[in-house]
Amino acid sequence: MPLSPTPPKLAVVVANGITGDSRVQKTALAAAHAGWDVTLVGRAAGKKPEHSWLGPVKVVRLPVGNRMERLVNARKNRGGPRARLTQWGIRDRAALDQIRDAHRVWVREQTTRIGHLGATPLGGAAAIGLRALVRARRGAHRLRIRAYRWEQRRKTSRTTGDWRRDWPALLDLDLAFGPFVEELAPDVIHANDITTIHTAASRLRARGRRCAWLYDAHEYVAGIGWAKPAMASAFPAVEREYIHRADAVVTVSPELAGLLRADHRLRETPSVVRNAPVRAVVGEAAGRVCVRTACGLPEGVPLLVYAGWLAPDRGVATAVDALALLPDHHLAVVTGRPGAGPAALRERAERLGVRHRVHVVPYVPPHQVADYLSSADLGLIPFHRVPNTENSLPTKAAEYLHAGLPLVSSDVRAVSAFVRAHGVGEVFTAEDAGSCAAAVLRATADRDALRKNITEALLAELSWEREAETLLRVYGRISGKTPGAGPARPCWDAEERADRDGGRTAGRWRPLGATPVRLGLAPANHAGQLAAFATAITSRRETVSAEVVKHRSAGRCHDYPADVLVDGTALRNLDVQLEQVQRVLRRYTHLIADAFRPVFGPLNGTGVEGDLPALAQAGIKVALLAHGSEVRDPARHRARHPHSLFHDAPDGYEAELSLLAERNRRVAEESGLPVFVTTPDLLLDLPGAVWAPLVVDADAWSGLRPVMARTRPLVVHAPSARWTKGTGRVLPLLEDFDRRGLIDFRLAEGLPPAAVRELVRGADVVIDQFAIGTYGTFACEGMAAGRPVVAHVDEESVAACGVRPPIVGATPDTLRSALEHLLDDRDFAVRTGHESAAFVRAFHDGTATTAALDAFLRS
């Protein structure tokens, strides 16, 4: 086949969040290394698309709704006469919650009336009657809920054989992924697992666009013990409907390939692509990660290891039972999700008296697994004999072998045949603890001999490099495309990095590398300030390279640039927390700990102070960076400012913030670390801190048009939250000026940063805040645009930093006169805009900030 003039496009589609799915990540990287233009498509945790990079691979996570699921379920709920009675007025779970809330409100109101009536001389009889009514209505409500649940149980146990009705969530996945993939118009779609088999390719073909696609069967769908009858009906049905439409089918084992061909009468046997380790990276993490150390065990203690998913059919309970017959052995269970599975194993071990020999330890990144496991003695595969485990060699088998561990496996067909054929372990009877213990003792005694059978040829055969060759041949065969050369050095250990194109800063900092100072900045990145700091510092210090890390909250729009994005939900998992430990401790020389938040996630608590001992032990120089509410004293602020934001704060906010700020101020004082603040007023809360001014890209914010050239000036106010800016106190005045035609007022709420920037660059006046007493990022951006900015800046803050910004000072009480002055004296407004732009370039372009950090950044 001739080389393609441009790289052919590949879309690798999976219905999960991508993180932790080593097969799809390695698939995408292998294709990109071979010269394909790869987009990896997965599911977003929140309601907005997320864009990032995994080495040379574009990563897009798309939000998936539940509209089709709700629609189909609502139709099911209508049902026949019985269903209309049992589901009376309850369309779905959301409607059920509303009815429950309405019932609670009614009961609370009536019980309040009962208490009032009972306190009056003549109200006793009325109170008795009302009590009876409340009891009767409560009983009717309970009956209604029970009837609803009874019908729901009957409904979920019924199946139709039509996957669109049995599992409509598949339709929602197609609505989310299909349009994106169609717009991408790839040459090949790699549909991973049963949940993406129905996405996009046929519609591209209907539009005349040549698009090949393959179905990657990760599991034997017909052999899984699905949790719900609807799943057991829908997933085999959607596989039957679409598998014949695929240009190729690949799967994970020869056994499963044979089953798929026989079950579906395929013309050819699916190609086999095992999920094997990357041979090239084995050994790179040696000495840095160690499962034995994670267990706290010295060399010489016999250590068994099980790595992977915990479920009853995985048989780990059998291994725990076997420990009672193995008094010298310990068991490491490597799992990424603390929860019911590990807890049940610990309870079982406690009952057997072996709890001290069962160690639940976290995952490490996929490219470090073999090195992590290599300090154990034997690898366990104690699966039960169920169809899905019988028919493939699991990923962990290859991982154990690359770690140099002989296998101890139950007699599930595929694994036991492999172990016996290659002489790399021992086999026991599934679910038999005595047989398992005997196999462990045999393997322990013969460990050296078994290890000799783990040959380089066997490891090469079980490597991702070998498996990827098969996959790439399939891509070329079904598409007719041959890409040119890919990157010179494959980056199998690539870490996911954010797409830098959406932020307010240029995002062109020197990436972490071989410099004397390797600076980490993590984890808040409020308003993109860590990205701005990194850009400013590395452009002015040749000795510094930087990495910006952002811990994301679910459902938030993350427009600010960063190198590494860590999902907040995933950060609850111990394995993800330890990934952050490894990233920081082995790679940074300096760290700016942002907003006093923990850089390792909740591993050591909710504040940065828990992480400081590990950082100190690693020899990393740490500085603390504060922006506002994390250290601001609410009581002092209320006393200083009549219009303080704390007068309008939501219930409970001030009390919660007072505790947080007090803790963080104590950390700043007791840690002895350098402390920096980005806004001048915080120098009053942290007297020992140094002002490191906010950084803005003055060129990016330069104004679009002259100030005050309009007859009716454009005035912009952009509160992130109204109560924090004092918006409610000034909005009536601004709207009144707008109604009278004196100004064209724009309240910029809920807009993406790029849209706000365009508004500010074209404005005549920018209105900032009247509730804090200082100036922040938005005021700096308005000044960078050359616009006069109106805000409240108190004299004490100005005196603390020694710099007076050219902001038009006003309070809610004096805003009218300040605006009238700008409208009446337009020359003054123009001069103020010019002075504002000059002020930002003098104090907020990064030069002053880098100078403030200079002593800290010395290597």
Side-chain angles (χ1 to χ4, degrees), residues 761-780:
R761 293 175 67 207
D764 294 294
V765 178
V766 172
I767 305 293
D768 188 23
Q769 59 74 35
F770 305 91
I772 303 176
T774 191
Y775 70 101
T777 305
F778 185 61
C780 288

Short mmCIF file of all heavy atoms in Angstrom, two decimals, residues 761-780:
data_model
loop_
_atom_site.label_atom_id
_atom_site.label_comp_id
_atom_site.label_asym_id
_atom_site.label_seq_id
_atom_site.Cartn_x
_atom_site.Cartn_y
_atom_site.Cartn_z
N ARG A 761 -12.25 43.71 26.40
CA ARG A 761 -11.38 44.40 25.43
C ARG A 761 -12.13 45.45 24.63
O ARG A 761 -11.53 46.41 24.12
CB ARG A 761 -10.75 43.39 24.48
CG ARG A 761 -9.77 42.45 25.16
CD ARG A 761 -9.26 41.38 24.21
NE ARG A 761 -8.45 41.97 23.16
CZ ARG A 761 -8.29 41.45 21.95
NH1 ARG A 761 -8.94 40.35 21.61
NH2 ARG A 761 -7.51 42.05 21.06
N GLY A 762 -13.46 45.30 24.52
CA GLY A 762 -14.24 46.28 23.78
C GLY A 762 -15.01 47.24 24.66
O GLY A 762 -15.77 48.08 24.15
N ALA A 763 -14.83 47.14 25.99
CA ALA A 763 -15.60 47.96 26.91
C ALA A 763 -15.02 49.38 27.01
O ALA A 763 -13.91 49.65 26.57
CB ALA A 763 -15.62 47.31 28.29
N ASP A 764 -15.80 50.27 27.62
CA ASP A 764 -15.33 51.61 27.97
C ASP A 764 -15.03 51.72 29.46
O ASP A 764 -14.12 52.45 29.86
CB ASP A 764 -16.38 52.65 27.57
CG ASP A 764 -16.57 52.73 26.08
OD1 ASP A 764 -15.62 53.15 25.38
OD2 ASP A 764 -17.64 52.35 25.59
N VAL A 765 -15.78 50.99 30.28
CA VAL A 765 -15.58 50.99 31.73
C VAL A 765 -15.78 49.57 32.22
O VAL A 765 -16.69 48.87 31.78
CB VAL A 765 -16.57 51.94 32.44
CG1 VAL A 765 -16.38 51.87 33.96
CG2 VAL A 765 -16.41 53.37 31.95
N VAL A 766 -14.91 49.13 33.15
CA VAL A 766 -15.04 47.82 33.77
C VAL A 766 -15.38 48.02 35.25
O VAL A 766 -14.69 48.76 35.96
CB VAL A 766 -13.74 47.01 33.63
CG1 VAL A 766 -13.80 45.73 34.45
CG2 VAL A 766 -13.47 46.69 32.17
N ILE A 767 -16.45 47.37 35.68
CA ILE A 767 -16.87 47.43 37.08
C ILE A 767 -16.41 46.14 37.74
O ILE A 767 -16.80 45.04 37.33
CB ILE A 767 -18.40 47.54 37.19
CG1 ILE A 767 -18.91 48.75 36.39
CG2 ILE A 767 -18.82 47.62 38.65
CD1 ILE A 767 -18.49 50.08 36.94
N ASP A 768 -15.59 46.27 38.80
CA ASP A 768 -15.07 45.06 39.45
C ASP A 768 -15.86 44.75 40.71
O ASP A 768 -16.99 44.31 40.63
CB ASP A 768 -13.58 45.20 39.72
CG ASP A 768 -12.95 43.90 40.23
OD1 ASP A 768 -13.51 42.83 39.96
OD2 ASP A 768 -11.91 43.96 40.90
N GLN A 769 -15.31 44.98 41.91
CA GLN A 769 -15.94 44.52 43.14
C GLN A 769 -16.06 45.63 44.17
O GLN A 769 -15.31 46.60 44.16
CB GLN A 769 -15.15 43.35 43.72
CG GLN A 769 -13.70 43.64 44.05
CD GLN A 769 -13.49 44.48 45.29
OE1 GLN A 769 -14.24 44.37 46.26
NE2 GLN A 769 -12.49 45.36 45.26
N PHE A 770 -17.00 45.42 45.10
CA PHE A 770 -17.24 46.40 46.17
C PHE A 770 -17.38 45.71 47.52
O PHE A 770 -17.92 46.27 48.45
CB PHE A 770 -18.52 47.19 45.86
CG PHE A 770 -18.47 47.85 44.52
CD1 PHE A 770 -18.96 47.21 43.39
CD2 PHE A 770 -17.90 49.11 44.37
CE1 PHE A 770 -18.89 47.80 42.15
CE2 PHE A 770 -17.83 49.71 43.11
CZ PHE A 770 -18.32 49.05 42.00
N ALA A 771 -16.91 44.46 47.60
CA ALA A 771 -17.14 43.67 48.80
C ALA A 771 -15.86 43.10 49.40
O ALA A 771 -15.92 42.46 50.45
CB ALA A 771 -18.11 42.53 48.50
N ILE A 772 -14.71 43.28 48.74
CA ILE A 772 -13.48 42.66 49.22
C ILE A 772 -12.46 43.69 49.70
O ILE A 772 -11.75 43.48 50.67
CB ILE A 772 -12.84 41.78 48.11
CG1 ILE A 772 -13.85 40.73 47.63
CG2 ILE A 772 -11.58 41.09 48.62
CD1 ILE A 772 -13.37 39.88 46.48
N GLY A 773 -12.37 44.83 49.01
CA GLY A 773 -11.45 45.87 49.44
C GLY A 773 -10.08 45.78 48.80
O GLY A 773 -9.15 46.44 49.25
N THR A 774 -9.94 44.96 47.77
CA THR A 774 -8.67 44.84 47.07
C THR A 774 -8.96 44.62 45.59
O THR A 774 -10.12 44.56 45.18
CB THR A 774 -7.84 43.68 47.64
OG1 THR A 774 -6.51 43.75 47.11
CG2 THR A 774 -8.44 42.34 47.29
N TYR A 775 -7.92 44.51 44.80
CA TYR A 775 -8.14 44.24 43.37
C TYR A 775 -7.54 42.89 43.02
O TYR A 775 -6.51 42.49 43.55
CB TYR A 775 -7.56 45.36 42.50
CG TYR A 775 -6.05 45.44 42.45
CD1 TYR A 775 -5.35 44.93 41.37
CD2 TYR A 775 -5.34 46.03 43.49
CE1 TYR A 775 -3.96 45.02 41.31
CE2 TYR A 775 -3.96 46.12 43.45
CZ TYR A 775 -3.27 45.60 42.35
OH TYR A 775 -1.90 45.67 42.30
N GLY A 776 -8.25 42.15 42.15
CA GLY A 776 -7.85 40.81 41.81
C GLY A 776 -7.64 40.63 40.33
O GLY A 776 -7.35 41.59 39.58
N THR A 777 -7.80 39.39 39.87
CA THR A 777 -7.49 39.04 38.48
C THR A 777 -8.33 39.84 37.50
O THR A 777 -7.81 40.36 36.50
CB THR A 777 -7.70 37.54 38.25
OG1 THR A 777 -6.94 36.80 39.20
CG2 THR A 777 -7.26 37.13 36.86
N PHE A 778 -9.64 39.92 37.74
CA PHE A 778 -10.51 40.60 36.77
C PHE A 778 -10.17 42.08 36.65
O PHE A 778 -10.16 42.64 35.56
CB PHE A 778 -11.98 40.42 37.16
CG PHE A 778 -12.93 40.99 36.16
CD1 PHE A 778 -12.96 40.51 34.85
CD2 PHE A 778 -13.81 42.01 36.51
CE1 PHE A 778 -13.84 41.04 33.91
CE2 PHE A 778 -14.69 42.54 35.58
CZ PHE A 778 -14.70 42.05 34.27
N ALA A 779 -9.83 42.72 37.77
CA ALA A 779 -9.43 44.13 37.71
C ALA A 779 -8.13 44.27 36.91
O ALA A 779 -7.99 45.20 36.10
CB ALA A 779 -9.25 44.68 39.12
N CYS A 780 -7.17 43.36 37.12
CA CYS A 780 -5.92 43.41 36.36
C CYS A 780 -6.18 43.23 34.87
O CYS A 780 -5.55 43.88 34.03
CB CYS A 780 -4.96 42.34 36.86
SG CYS A 780 -4.26 42.69 38.49
#
